[in-house]
């Protein structure tokens, strides 16, 4: 009896997904490190500053 050849597709797809996820994690770590070192912050518009100011001044939040 001859054995059936096993499909390699599942293994290849799993390896590609794992490699892709690993790459995404490394990119996120690098981006977080750069942002932390450079202290990158986006400028706040007037409306956002007012909301933050009200939230900070309002007791009970």
């Amino acid at each position: 009896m001859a054995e059936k050849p096993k499909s390699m597709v599942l293994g290849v797809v799993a390896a590609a997904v794992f490699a892709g996820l690993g790459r995404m994690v490394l990119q996120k770590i690098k981006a977080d490190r750069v942002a932390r070192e450079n202290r990158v912050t986006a400028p706040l518009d007037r409306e956002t500053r007012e909301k933050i100011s009200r939230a900070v001044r309002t007791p009970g939040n």
Side-chain angles (χ1 to χ4, degrees), residues 4-47:
K4 290 184 182 179
K6 295 191 178 191
S7 175
M8 294 284 296
V9 175
L10 183 60
V12 171
V13 170
V17 169
F18 185 74
L21 289 174
R23 183 172 177 230
M24 287 172 53
V25 168
L26 290 176
Q27 287 176 343
K28 173 72 171 146
I29 290 170
K30 287 179 185 178
D32 287 349
R33 184 177 298 145
V34 169
R36 187 173 46 246
E37 289 172 356
N38 295 329
R39 294 190 177 146
V40 175
T41 57
L44 299 176
D45 61 352
R46 196 182 105 209
E47 184 179 328

